[in-house]
Amino acid sequence: MTSSRQAVPSDQELRFPHIIRVQAAAGAGKTYLIAIRFCQFMLSRIIPFGSMHNLLAITFTVEAANQMKQRILSMLKATALGKEALEDLRPILPSFRDEEALKSSAMKAVSSVLREFHHLNVRTIDSFLYRIIQTAPMELGLTQTEEIKEDEHEIMDYCLKRLIYRAGKDAGTFKIVKDAIFHCLIAEQRASWWPQGLLMELLQDFHSKECMFGAEISTKYPNMKKEILPLENAVRKRVKELLHISSGLSLKWNVARQLERIAHQKDMEDMALEDLLGSTIWMKEDCKDLFKKKSHCHLQQSLHPKWLEIRDIVSRYAEKVACFKPGSYVRVYREFRKLVKEKKRRSGVLFLGDINLLAGRLMELVPLPEILLRLGTTYYHFLFDEFQDTSLLQWKGLYPMVDEALSHGGSVFSVGDPKQLLYRWRGSDLSVNLDSLGRFPQVEGVKEIVLPYNWRSRENIIWFNTNVFSKGNLEGL
């Protein structure tokens, strides 16, 4: 663990405020790094605001948080008893001139942790953001008694069944549901014996996108169907004219095949026109690129204006289809979302995905000093584990507190590995890890530390991963 220990500067070397970003490979000892820095700050006599009340370590799973708490407590206990951990901490705590003084300080820290274990601030990012939103339930329309529900499927399934039941009694709801199912089965040709299952997949996808980006999907989609049909007919008409004029020329085989299919296709039969328009032929700006080289002649130049006209109609058609395609889904999602909100309110539950959105909204509604007052503590030192998995929405909720901490001589210590981006499905964004820490004017630059050593895996596994993720190999993809 020598390399990991060197990533933590001694308490006499640290200058505040500061930011340290550690890029640590798998098996490099990321949990060890967070734990030893946490212990260093608790024990040091010269680090400002080093009390465990002012430290916050954030990770992503309950299991990881529990392991980190256990690691911190074990390290403090072993130091107090003069065991191996003492040798790890002594080099980074030179402010202690003798070993007995360090052991005594560690013993006091152990007693403090055991006495106020709830103040050992090692939390998952979700639990911390939830604690923040609990400070302002009235501003967010909450009761402070909401239950966090990780499995959203039960409530969403109930709401979809209610929507379908309502469709059997209300003509307007029936049309909305029918249009969505029709578009799914016919327009997109997603055949299914159980369209309710397909509809649920679509609605869940819309919901996950809202949670990921922190904004509600706009339901103001115009019905473009009446505008699309004339454009379809215009495309077919112009393509037929182009084929007629160029009948004496040699079109490329794939071009001729695609144009013939468009010219003679009937509405919504066989392949949809929007699928045919996905062909690469529409990327060709010059009309002569449609023909075989040997057939180039002056007639092709006369076809160029017509080809540009067709491409312009195709462009407008594609734009209308892009608006129309999700329109029927958005309309049914609007009704579904109302039912989900009502069900959550009546049941007193929050989805896990709601927490990030509410935390970001709270930072806009309530001044930060008021939030800190309600929390009853101020965090000066942030330690982030697996920082590469932080989403932009989560960072929006954390940023004001980190900014405040750095403005008062605090610090940030982040540990992560860009190759282990595991939470993309929840919106984790690598730009948070790579760019966000460099945007604090209070700090002159970010100290970068790289730990390339894997202490966990065998040599052949390390060799394989090193070669797969080598710069030369990735550039060739």
Side-chain angles (χ1 to χ4, degrees):
M1 284 294 185
T2 305
S3 299
S4 297
R5 187 192 304 156
Q6 291 173 349
V8 180
S10 73
D11 60 351
Q12 291 182 345
E13 295 174 316
L14 291 173
R15 298 292 179 270
F16 296 89
H18 69 257
I19 298 174
I20 298 175
R21 176 167 51 207
V22 181
Q23 304 288 2
K30 292 189 283 289
T31 304
Y32 170 86
L33 279 176
I34 299 289
I36 198 171
R37 180 167 167 105
F38 203 101
C39 292
Q40 178 195 34
F41 275 52
M42 284 186 65
L43 298 176
S44 177
R45 298 169 173 175
I46 62 175
I47 291 177
F49 310 112
S51 164
M52 71 175 181
H53 300 81
N54 304 130
L55 299 172
L56 177 64
I58 289 180
T59 186
F60 276 82
T61 67
V62 174
E63 182 182 1
N66 289 336
Q67 287 178 354
M68 198 174 294
K69 287 180 180 179
Q70 183 180 3
R71 193 76 174 267
I72 291 169
L73 189 54
S74 297
M75 193 173 287
L76 290 172
K77 181 180 176 182
T79 302
L81 297 176
K83 295 184 179 180
E84 183 181 351
L86 181 62
E87 298 304 315
D88 289 340
L89 284 167
R90 283 187 65 184
I92 61 174
L93 289 167
S95 56
F96 287 93
R97 297 192 176 277
D98 61 85
E99 188 176 295
E100 290 304 315
L102 178 55
K103 289 166 64 175
S104 175
S105 180
M107 184 62 74
K108 291 178 182 178
V110 170
S111 299
S112 177
V113 170
L114 294 177
R115 186 172 57 253
E116 300 180 286
F117 191 72
H118 59 288
H119 283 308
L120 183 61
N121 294 309
V122 180
R123 297 177 174 271
T124 66
I125 193 166
D126 291 319
S127 70
F128 178 66
L129 291 177
Y130 181 55
R131 188 184 176 203
I132 290 176
I133 67 176
Q134 282 184 309
T135 63
M138 291 184 63
E139 289 85 345
L140 296 172
L142 304 176
T143 65
Q144 212 173 15
T145 61
E146 282 80 8
E147 173 192 354
I148 301 297
K149 201 169 186 67
E150 293 188 33
D151 184 9
E152 305 168 354
H153 182 77
E154 182 181 347
I155 287 180
M156 297 182 90
D157 184 61
Y158 169 81
C159 292
L160 179 56
K161 287 177 179 176
R162 273 200 64 193
L163 184 64
I164 293 173
Y165 176 79
R166 183 191 293 178
K169 295 181 175 295
D170 178 70
T173 307
F174 175 78
K175 185 178 186 310
I176 289 172
V177 174
K178 185 197 74 172
D179 288 348
I181 293 176
F182 178 85
H183 191 85
C184 183
L185 296 178
I186 307 301
E188 294 192 22
Q189 299 182 356
R190 296 178 63 177
S192 173
W193 290 104
W194 189 241
Q196 181 178 327
L198 282 179
L199 196 56
M200 175 58 81
E201 287 180 21
L202 292 164
L203 296 173
Q204 286 179 323
D205 185 54
F206 273 51
H207 174 72
S208 66
K209 291 294 189 297
E210 286 188 335
C211 293
M212 186 181 298
F213 295 105
E216 291 191 345
I217 294 171
S218 173
T219 57
K220 297 178 181 179
Y221 267 83
N223 191 337
M224 296 285 185
K225 193 170 183 179
K226 293 181 179 179
E227 299 180 45
I228 288 173
L229 189 57
L231 290 172
E232 281 189 0
N233 294 331
V235 171
R236 292 193 182 93
K237 181 180 177 182
R238 300 301 190 280
V239 168
K240 286 179 180 179
E241 292 173 357
L242 180 69
L243 289 171
H244 177 72
I245 297 171
S246 62
S247 58
L249 302 174
S250 297
L251 286 166
K252 292 180 179 178
W253 177 83
N254 65 314
V255 172
R257 180 172 177 271
Q258 291 292 331
L259 294 179
E260 287 286 349
R261 294 184 69 184
I262 291 173
H264 300 102
Q265 182 199 29
K266 295 181 180 179
D267 292 344
M268 294 300 181
E269 290 185 4
D270 302 322
M271 186 181 293
L273 180 60
E274 60 186 89
D275 292 328
L276 290 176
L277 295 185
S279 171
T280 56
I281 65 171
W282 306 110
M283 301 297 291
K284 302 181 187 299
E285 297 183 9
D286 199 322
C287 182
K288 69 180 182 181
D289 293 330
L290 304 176
F291 300 90
K292 297 176 182 178
K293 289 184 178 180
K294 64 179 181 180
S295 66
H296 291 175
C297 65
H298 69 282
L299 184 58
Q300 293 175 13
Q301 298 305 317
S302 65
L303 294 174
H304 189 65
K306 184 167 287 295
W307 177 244
L308 292 179
E309 181 187 7
I310 293 173
R311 290 182 78 242
D312 178 66
I313 298 173
V314 167
S315 177
R316 287 186 282 130
Y317 171 79
E319 183 179 344
K320 300 296 182 185
V321 168
C323 290
F324 167 71
K325 190 169 184 178
S328 57
Y329 299 148
V330 168
R331 282 185 283 276
V332 76
Y333 181 68
R334 176 179 56 200
E335 303 303 315
F336 174 76
R337 186 170 60 196
K338 290 177 185 176
L339 292 173
V340 171
K341 285 183 176 180
E342 177 63 17
K343 177 63 175 174
K344 288 195 296 183
R345 186 188 66 79
R346 294 178 64 180
S347 301
V349 302
L350 284 175
F351 289 164
L352 200 59
D354 295 330
I355 294 174
N356 300 330
L357 177 62
L358 290 171
R361 189 184 300 167
L362 177 61
M363 292 298 175
E364 298 171 356
L365 294 174
V366 181
L368 183 61
E370 177 69 19
I371 295 174
L372 295 175
L373 179 65
R374 296 181 189 184
L375 280 173
T377 188
T378 300
Y379 301 106
Y380 289 95
H381 305 291
F382 288 82
L383 299 88
F384 293 104
D385 186 26
E386 306 293 358
F387 192 52
Q388 77 282 350
D389 282 322
T390 309
S391 72
L392 288 170
L393 192 57
Q394 289 168 335
W395 185 243
K396 181 181 178 182
L398 292 169
Y399 178 87
M401 302 190 77
V402 175
D403 185 58
E404 179 75 5
L406 292 173
S407 297
H408 290 83
S411 67
V412 174
F413 185 81
S414 77
V415 181
D417 181 2
K419 298 191 294 295
Q420 297 186 63
L421 200 64
L422 304 179
Y423 283 78
R424 286 294 290 270
W425 59 279
R426 282 191 61 188
S428 62
D429 194 311
L430 199 55
S431 66
V432 176
N433 179 50
L434 298 178
D435 304 326
S436 60
L437 295 181
R439 296 176 180 172
F440 293 99
Q442 310 94 314
V443 181
E444 295 183 6
V446 177
K447 181 177 180 180
E448 303 281 0
I449 297 174
V450 178
L451 296 181
Y453 301 107
N454 184 337
W455 303 93
R456 183 192 305 155
S457 305
R458 293 186 176 181
E459 186 177 351
N460 57 337
I461 296 176
I462 296 173
W463 179 89
F464 174 80
N465 287 331
T466 301
N467 282 275
V468 168
F469 291 102
S470 66
K471 184 177 181 181
N473 194 37
L474 293 177
E475 287 177 347
L477 294 178

